[in-house]
Amino acid sequence: AFWLYITNLSCKIVYAKGILNMIDKKLLALLGPNKKYIFYAVGLMIVGLFANLAITASICYAIQYAAEYTSSGSNAQGFILPAVIVTIAMAIRYVTSRSIGDLKDTLGRNVKKDLRQKIYDKIIKLGVRTTDNMSMAGLTQLSMEGVEQLDLYYSAYIPQFFYAMIAPIILFIVTVRINWAVALVLLACVPLIPMSIIAVSRYAKKIFAKYWGKYTSMGDSFLDSVQGLKELKIFQADAAQNIKMNETSEEFRKITMKVLVMQLASTTIMDMVAYGGAGLGIALTIHAVVNGSLSAYAALFLILVAVDFFLPLRAFGSAFHIAMNGASAGNKILSLLAQPDPVWGSETVDGTDITVKDVTFSYDGTRDVLKHASMNFGSTGMCAIVGESGSGKSTVVNLLLGAYHPQQGSILVGNKPLETLSRESYYSHISVVSYNTYIFNETIRQNFMLAKDNVTDEEIYSALKKVNLYDFIIDNGGLDKVITEDAANISGGQKQRLALAINLVANKDVYIFDEATSNIDIESEAIIMNNIKELSKEKSVIVISHRLANIIAADTIYYIEDGEVKENGTHNELMNMHEGYAKLYTTQKKLEEGYTEVIA
């Protein structure tokens, strides 16, 4: 008895720390008020356990009474009580089983809804700032498949964990009164299952982390290949890409097989422990009957209950592998949710003149992308930011949008620091048209309604006429024409002009054009630039362009080189300086003239 007690105590000490690690507190915190469903489910599972014990005890009593009735001719009314108890217990068991299923279903639905809402809200809060190390395919898989896996962690694993810790103790309290030695042996063998789980948990976490990584990698590769299928065919690189995708799929297959092997091995170990422990308890029970220290009917009860010591932990062990997969997805969700939100305040915008004052900024903290940059953008007029690729032009746009904040210096909007403004208030005054402005897979009218929900057809037609798209839209389905995914059913130039028209309807105070004329035809480029010039008479227009011929008419041009604002002024003023801007403009002009001569 002393050896059994020491064995049980040492087993508990060995796996106590491991048990604590089986529950991720951060993932549990994501549940919020939904935690109550877990405790309700565990409570009902315990009620169901007592119902099972009542059924087992009633059956054993009925068998004992039947034997006595046969030998002594006792009154048959003695069967009524166990029959009533069995009936009531079975009804309770049925109700608890249905209720547990309903609770888990409610928990699962609430978890999926809440988590997807949190992920969506986080992406919205990040706004124009991209998520670190997360591709579009990765975000999609995380919000769909990842949440599904985490749902199983919450609805299957967590309730079973608490029940598996409580059930053996309840069974021990019930059986120790019948035969303490058998009860102690059964309880002593129970911790062997969690110990086997803990033994593989570290390896399992690594495997599932790699599994999820390979899964998202395969999804990224597949999406990338589908989106670039045209280019793959043109360059005749589809065969090479096919080999690459096969390699990625093979890596995923191998990691999947490792997961299956691990699951099979751990399940085999748990079965050996569970049935071995139950067999040992049954053997001791039979030995006690042979020695005359235990009645046959009490022994029957112990034999029937022996397996129940191990079934909760056995089910918990089976759910462990689901949990590891869910936990891997959950950690990625936590990583996304833990990303710092852009800093915004609550003040409203009073003025639309923007000042970039002595700004220094670095993405990684090691190399400054902008160095003591200062620029002024008035409430009206056209300003341009130019420079060679990598000079920091796009970084200025990100800072003006509030996606990032400078490490030094400040950005003032109407003499108020940008970070003190409400994002809703600031964005109600600013609009951005870039080379990759997204046109949604909706009708023309619905795309305009995103910019202005009460826009009229007349306003839409007026904007379309300004960008020379009116006739095209009228001849191709009108405002009910559906723009397909990635605007594939219109040309690049038409897409940019449509994006401009949508932003014109929005009627903002500040317009930022970030390479809005990049990679489009000359006609579309001319139309866009004419609209920009007209717009600058009443609005503040900031143009970032690689083609310097487009910004000659700007009121102020800022020339950036290696993150520093080297020069500023009008086109003529900068040309007279004969410095960086003049050299860049002259070089570009010669290249364009040479290209024109070659074409001619």
Side-chain angles (χ1 to χ4, degrees):
F2 176 75
W3 177 84
L4 289 173
Y5 175 77
I6 293 298
T7 301
N8 183 42
L9 182 63
S10 62
C11 286
K12 288 185 177 181
I13 293 173
V14 167
Y15 81 85
K17 293 183 178 179
I19 288 294
L20 294 176
N21 291 330
M22 289 182 183
I23 300 294
D24 193 316
K25 294 180 180 178
K26 292 181 179 179
L27 290 179
L28 200 60
L30 284 177
L31 281 174
N34 291 315
K35 290 178 185 176
K36 62 184 179 182
Y37 295 111
I38 292 177
F39 296 109
Y40 294 160
V42 173
L44 288 174
M45 291 167 83
I46 292 172
V47 172
L49 174 63
F50 280 112
N52 280 343
L53 289 174
I55 293 171
T56 304
S58 297
I59 291 173
C60 291
Y61 175 80
I63 292 173
Q64 180 183 6
Y65 190 82
E68 293 175 356
Y69 174 79
T70 303
S71 59
S72 62
S74 301
N75 193 337
Q77 292 181 349
F79 291 105
I80 296 176
L81 180 61
V84 171
I85 293 175
V86 168
T87 302
I88 294 173
M90 289 179 67
I92 292 173
R93 182 60 182 159
Y94 173 78
V95 171
T96 55
S97 297
R98 289 291 301 269
S99 300
I100 291 168
D102 292 341
L103 282 172
K104 288 184 176 181
D105 180 63
T106 302
L107 174 63
R109 284 187 283 107
N110 288 353
V111 164
K112 286 187 285 189
K113 179 182 176 182
D114 292 349
L115 281 179
R116 288 188 175 125
Q117 187 65 51
K118 287 179 180 179
I119 292 172
Y120 178 77
D121 290 344
K122 185 64 180 182
I123 295 173
I124 292 298
K125 285 182 179 179
L126 291 174
V128 294
R129 177 177 172 181
T130 57
T131 52
D132 296 337
N133 301 319
M134 193 75 71
S135 66
M136 186 58 64
L139 280 174
T140 303
Q141 288 175 314
L142 191 65
S143 59
M144 298 301 294
E145 185 67 21
V147 171
E148 290 289 341
Q149 294 295 333
L150 197 53
D151 162 35
L152 295 174
Y153 174 83
Y154 289 131
S155 60
Y157 178 79
I158 299 295
Q160 190 63 36
F161 169 82
F162 289 112
Y163 176 65
M165 297 300 106
I166 298 171
I169 297 174
I170 293 174
L171 291 170
F172 175 75
I173 293 172
V174 171
T175 56
V176 72
R177 296 174 180 270
I178 300 174
N179 189 297
W180 66 269
V182 173
L184 198 58
V185 167
L186 291 172
L187 186 64
C189 292
V190 165
L192 296 177
I193 293 179
M195 288 175 67
S196 67
I197 296 173
I198 294 166
V200 299
S201 63
R202 291 184 179 180
Y203 176 70
K205 286 181 179 179
K206 293 179 181 179
I207 289 292
F208 278 108
K210 290 181 180 179
Y211 173 84
W212 188 257
K214 296 293 184 183
Y215 179 64
T216 55
S217 176
M218 185 177 66
D220 290 344
S221 178
F222 179 77
L223 180 62
D224 200 36
S225 299
V226 171
Q227 290 179 332
L229 189 58
K230 180 178 68 175
E231 284 72 16
L232 291 173
K233 286 292 185 181
I234 290 173
F235 295 122
Q236 298 183 350
D238 51 322
Q241 187 69 8
N242 180 49
I243 294 172
K244 182 180 178 181
M245 286 189 63
N246 286 341
E247 291 174 351
T248 305
S249 300
E250 179 63 16
E251 290 177 359
F252 179 69
R253 186 193 67 81
K254 288 180 179 178
I255 197 70
T256 301
M257 294 308 298
K258 285 184 179 181
V259 169
L260 294 176
V261 168
M262 179 198 65
Q263 290 178 339
L264 181 61
S266 59
T267 301
T268 302
I269 293 172
M270 286 188 293
D271 284 343
M272 290 175 63
V273 172
Y275 294 115
L280 181 59
I282 292 170
L284 287 175
T285 301
I286 295 173
H287 179 72
V289 172
V290 172
N291 289 341
S293 59
L294 190 67
S295 69
Y297 308 106
L300 177 62
F301 177 80
L302 288 177
I303 290 171
L304 294 175
V305 169
V307 178
D308 289 337
F309 269 84
F310 303 95
L311 288 180
L313 277 167
R314 173 66 181 76
F316 169 68
S318 298
F320 175 75
H321 306 102
I322 297 173
M324 287 298 98
N325 200 13
S328 296
N331 287 327
K332 287 187 176 291
I333 292 174
L334 286 172
S335 177
L336 173 64
L337 297 178
Q339 288 190 36
D341 295 334
V343 179
W344 292 95
S346 58
E347 295 191 27
T348 57
V349 175
D350 292 334
T352 56
D353 53 306
I354 301 174
T355 302
V356 178
K357 188 176 180 181
D358 196 32
V359 164
T360 297
F361 176 77
S362 171
Y363 286 102
D364 55 11
T366 58
R367 187 180 71 87
D368 290 335
V369 180
L370 289 178
K371 307 167 189 174
H372 305 287
S374 295
M375 288 174 272
N376 293 304
F377 308 103
S379 56
T380 59
M382 175 179 171
C383 294
I385 303 172
V386 299
E388 294 183 351
S389 179
S391 60
K393 302 187 298 297
S394 295
T395 299
V396 174
V397 175
N398 284 330
L399 291 172
L400 291 178
L401 291 176
Y404 298 96
H405 292 281
Q407 282 83 28
Q408 296 179 22
S410 60
I411 297 176
L412 305 176
V413 180
N415 294 321
K416 289 183 179 181
L418 177 57
E419 61 271 16
T420 65
L421 299 175
S422 159
R423 179 165 64 177
E424 290 75 14
S425 176
Y426 181 55
Y427 279 7
S428 68
H429 292 273
I430 195 167
S431 185
V432 180
V433 181
S434 70
Y435 63 92
N436 62 348
T437 296
Y438 194 81
I439 305 296
F440 286 87
N441 183 200
E442 302 283 0
T443 65
I444 299 289
R445 183 183 288 104
Q446 288 171 323
N447 271 281
F448 274 91
M449 289 176 67
L450 291 172
K452 185 179 178 181
D453 56 1
N454 59 348
V455 65
T456 64
D457 288 0
E458 289 72 21
E459 289 177 301
I460 297 175
Y461 288 136
S462 177
L464 291 174
K465 287 176 181 177
K466 289 180 181 179
V467 299
N468 199 25
L469 276 178
Y470 176 80
D471 293 335
F472 171 77
I473 298 299
I474 292 298
D475 294 338
N476 289 273
L479 299 184
D480 293 320
K481 175 181 172 63
V482 175
I483 303 298
T484 58
E485 186 178 356
D486 199 27
N489 61 338
I490 58 177
S491 70
Q494 289 169 336
K495 175 186 174 183
Q496 288 299 88
R497 282 186 278 158
L498 180 58
L500 173 59
I502 292 171
N503 280 274
L504 290 176
V505 162
N507 193 26
K508 300 297 183 71
D509 297 307
V510 180
Y511 283 84
I512 298 176
F513 293 89
D514 183 12
E515 301 288 4
T517 59
S518 176
N519 300 322
I520 61 174
D521 58 279
I522 296 175
E523 179 190 0
S524 295
E525 183 178 29
I527 292 171
I528 290 174
M529 290 312 303
N530 287 336
N531 275 276
I532 289 175
K533 291 170 186 176
E534 279 297 314
L535 198 61
S536 66
K537 294 177 181 179
E538 299 177 356
K539 310 288 185 179
S540 175
V541 175
I542 303 170
V543 179
I544 291 88
S545 178
H546 69 285
R547 191 162 184 265
L548 303 187
N550 286 332
I551 50 89
I552 291 176
D555 300 303
T556 304
I557 300 171
Y558 293 96
Y559 172 70
I560 301 180
E561 186 178 304
D562 295 329
E564 297 183 52
V565 180
K566 295 288 188 179
E567 306 164 32
N568 69 87
T570 65
H571 172 74
N572 291 332
E573 289 171 346
L574 296 183
M575 290 301 293
N576 291 333
M577 291 181 184
H578 303 289
E579 296 294 338
Y581 174 82
K583 293 177 182 177
L584 183 62
Y585 178 82
T586 302
T587 301
Q588 192 175 102
K589 187 175 181 181
K590 288 181 179 179
L591 288 172
E592 290 177 356
E593 289 175 348
Y595 175 75
T596 304
E597 290 176 3
V598 170
I599 295 297

